[in-house]
């Protein structure tokens, strides 16, 4: 389906500045890097977490552990999807118990992905706390979930889609608002 | 992408892409098996039934664990203590299971084609846990998963299947699967244990173990099925061992580091020497772990999504 681009709300510079600010906020809130770990939610949360890891290293000189979480097996909408999602590996090569976990994703929308990620994490251990970092918070929450670190708050209508595009996956760093033609279905 | 079939009856029916999808899905499942809490909620509320008309430890246990780790409930029907003893037909048993709201049935039966009959009778997916001398697709898939994990792929690999090819559903499923993925498959065993016209399946036939094992990358050793050897197809187990047992000497003929597989249970000193079975090249215990991962993948692909 063809999506019409309505606005370009972030370019590479804006994205870099937002991530740099988030890196500082994470360090400030956690008073450094002790027990801090980053976990990127597949798919675009992973390169974002990698960038935060690098920024934190530049600021503090410490490389914090990085994990990758695939939440597909925890989704609550598997029986309603027409295309069965492919399962990818969860790669968290460290124990998360007692750690301060920063979950990283591109867009916070209904909150259902984060709910799945929280369940998946808690099956892996008992972190000291879990925090959430996202590039875009677009509203329309369906669950009582909020982000601790937000790149940009973007009020949207449900007909719109947010596309966070990243160099590592899409070949370009930018955030677009696109719109579905008419009343097409919206999936979280 | 998803499987194009409701059921898993055999590897003969699957495309290379479907086999690849199953193997790709099994890799993340294996990660779950390494966790302290081996449980995901994906199949919560689903009922998986194992219906085994033949004895089995590992296949049944493996399927049940796979279902439980995915969050499903399991019921196992042992034919010796069920109403099958009262003469209930397979079809009627199936209809009873369907009426109970079964989401998937795993069947093992001595008659080839029973899983296909069951699959036509009920709407729920049917997974073949071994039917007669026909197919044992999940065993072949776990063998292939192990090969892929250890050696990276199948293209151009030389795989020898050693032993009683005639009675072996494991051999048949492996032949279908491996040839589809581009491996060169050799079968080797006594002439009396070789099915007629087996070369039509696209394999090379050998009767001499030394010749067959030369330069192979994988040796899949089959169990000598003593329960099926009453017709005197070879003179004695001792003679079989002398000619076909995978010994350290014979293993040296294969590529250095060649992988040794066995579907179990093993007859040590008959088809495989203890030194090989416990050696560094054997992946026999890992096959068991991989079997659970492959079956988790299949359950996800067959009953994990929309109906």
């Amino acid at each position: 389906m063809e999506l019409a681009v309505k606005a370009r709300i972030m370019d590479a510079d804006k994205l870099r500045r937002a991530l740099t600010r988030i890196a500082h906020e994470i360090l400030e809130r956690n008073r450094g890097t002790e027990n801090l770990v980053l976990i990127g939610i597949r798919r675009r949360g992973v390169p974002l977490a990698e960038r935060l890891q690098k920024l934190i290293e530049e600021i503090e000189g410490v490389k914090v552990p990085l994990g990758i979480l695939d939440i597909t097996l925890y989704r609550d909408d598997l029986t309603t999807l027409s295309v069965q999602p492919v399962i990818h590996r969860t790669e968290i090569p460290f124990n998360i118990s007692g750690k301060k976990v920063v979950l990283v994703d591109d867009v916070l929308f209904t909150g259902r992905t984060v709910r799945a990620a929280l369940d998946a994490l808690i099956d892996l251990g008992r972190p000291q706390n879990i925090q959430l970092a996202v590039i875009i918070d677009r509203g329309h929450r369906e669950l009582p979930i909020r982000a601790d670190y937000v790149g940009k708050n973007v009020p949207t209508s449900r007909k719109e889609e947010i596309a966070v595009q990243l160099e590592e996956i899409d070949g370009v760093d930018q955030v677009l608002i696109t719109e579905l033609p008419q009343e097409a279905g919206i999936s979280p | 992408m998803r499987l194009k079939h409701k059921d898993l009856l055999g590897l003969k029916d699957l495309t290379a892409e479907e086999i690849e999808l199953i193997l790709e899905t099994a890799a993340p499942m294996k990660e779950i098996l390494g966790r302290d809490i081996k449980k995901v909620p994906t199949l919560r509320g689903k009922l998986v039934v194992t219906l085994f008309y033949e004895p089995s430890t590992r296949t049944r246990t493996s399927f049940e664990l796979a279902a439980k780790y995915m969050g499903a409930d399991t019921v196992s029907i042992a034919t010796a203590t069920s109403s099958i003893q009262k003469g209930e037909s397979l079809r009627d048993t199936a209809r009873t299971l369907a009426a109970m709201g079964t989401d998937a049935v795993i069947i093992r039966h001595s008659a080839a084609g029973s899983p296909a009959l069951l699959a036509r009778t009920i709407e729920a997916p049917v997974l073949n846990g071994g039917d007669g001398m026909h197919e044992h697709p999940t065993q072949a898939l776990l063998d292939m998963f192990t090969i892929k994990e250890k050696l990276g792929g199948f293209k151009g690999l030389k795989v020898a299947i050693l032993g009683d090819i005639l009675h072996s559903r494991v051999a048949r499923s492996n032949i279908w699967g491996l040839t589809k993925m581009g491996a060169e498959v050799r079968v080797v065993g006594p002439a009396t244990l070789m099915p007629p016209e087996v070369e039509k399946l696209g394999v090379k036939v050998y009767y001499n173990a030394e010749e067959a094992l030369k330069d192979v990358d994988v040796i899949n050793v089959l169990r000598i099925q003593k329960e099926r050897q009453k017709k005197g197809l070879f003179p004695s187990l001792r003679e079989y061992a002398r000619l076909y047992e995978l010994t350290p000497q014979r293993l040296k003929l294969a590529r250095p580091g060649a992988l040794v597989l066995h579907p179990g249970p093993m007859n040590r000193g008959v088809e495989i020497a203890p030194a090989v079975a416990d050696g560094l090249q054997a992946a026999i215990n890992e096959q068991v772990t991989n079997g659970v991962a492959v079956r988790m993948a299949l359950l996800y692909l067959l009953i994990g999504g929309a109906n």
Side-chain angles (χ1 to χ4, degrees), chain A residues 73-74 79 84-85 89-90 124, chain B residues 27 31 35 39 41-42 300 306:
Chain A
L73 293 170
Y74 288 83
T79 53
Q84 191 174 35
R89 236 181 144 83
T90 288
L124 293 171
Chain B
E31 180 266 322
R35 297 180 187 174
K39 194 100 175 168
T42 320
Y300 169 72

Side-chain angles (χ1 to χ4, degrees), chain A residues 1-179:
Chain A
M1 192 186 324
E2 205 49 45
L3 293 168
V5 176
K6 283 181 75 180
R8 185 166 182 242
I9 50 175
M10 272 187 162
D11 57 15
D13 284 335
K14 280 192 181 156
L15 187 64
R16 180 177 47 80
R17 288 186 200 114
L19 281 167
T20 308
R21 174 175 51 78
I22 290 173
H24 282 284
E25 284 176 359
I26 290 172
L27 290 168
E28 192 181 7
R29 160 107 49 116
N30 294 286
R31 299 192 187 89
T33 56
E34 199 185 344
N35 285 328
L36 189 68
V37 303
L38 297 169
I39 292 182
I41 301 176
R42 279 190 199 276
R43 185 169 173 222
R44 284 179 176 74
V46 178
L48 289 170
E50 286 166 355
R51 291 189 199 186
L52 284 172
Q53 182 191 40
K54 205 161 153 247
L55 288 164
I56 288 171
E57 194 180 0
E58 283 166 16
I59 300 162
E60 292 283 302
V62 178
K63 194 168 186 179
V64 298
L66 178 83
I68 297 173
L69 189 63
D70 185 281
I71 56 107
T72 314
L73 293 170
Y74 288 83
R75 287 175 70 146
D76 60 7
D77 58 354
L78 282 173
T79 53
T80 63
L81 299 172
S82 53
V83 180
Q84 191 174 35
V86 175
I87 313 279
H88 295 282
R89 236 181 144 83
T90 288
E91 295 168 38
I92 301 181
F94 46 83
N95 190 344
I96 62 165
S97 290
K99 295 289 193 301
K100 301 171 190 167
V101 175
V102 179
L103 264 180
V104 184
D105 204 0
D106 55 351
V107 180
L108 178 57
F109 181 21
T110 59
R112 289 178 190 268
T113 299
V114 175
R115 193 284 307 163
L118 291 173
D119 282 350
L121 277 183
I122 283 158
D123 278 357
L124 293 171
R126 186 176 186 278
Q128 186 186 327
N129 60 50
I130 302 176
Q131 304 159 33
L132 176 62
V134 297
I135 292 302
I136 303 291
D137 182 347
R138 61 167 292 189
H140 303 286
R141 216 77 79 237
E142 292 168 5
L143 298 169
I145 280 169
R146 61 162 178 79
D148 301 272
Y149 314 99
V150 179
K152 191 175 173 64
N153 283 293
V154 183
T156 55
S157 91
R158 278 192 164 264
K159 271 188 268 174
E160 293 168 329
E161 296 257 310
I162 297 280
V164 173
Q165 302 186 335
L166 299 172
E167 185 76 48
E168 296 91 329
I169 293 169
D170 312 286
V172 58
D173 273 354
Q174 62 181 6
V175 180
L176 305 174
I177 300 184
T178 57
E179 187 159 12

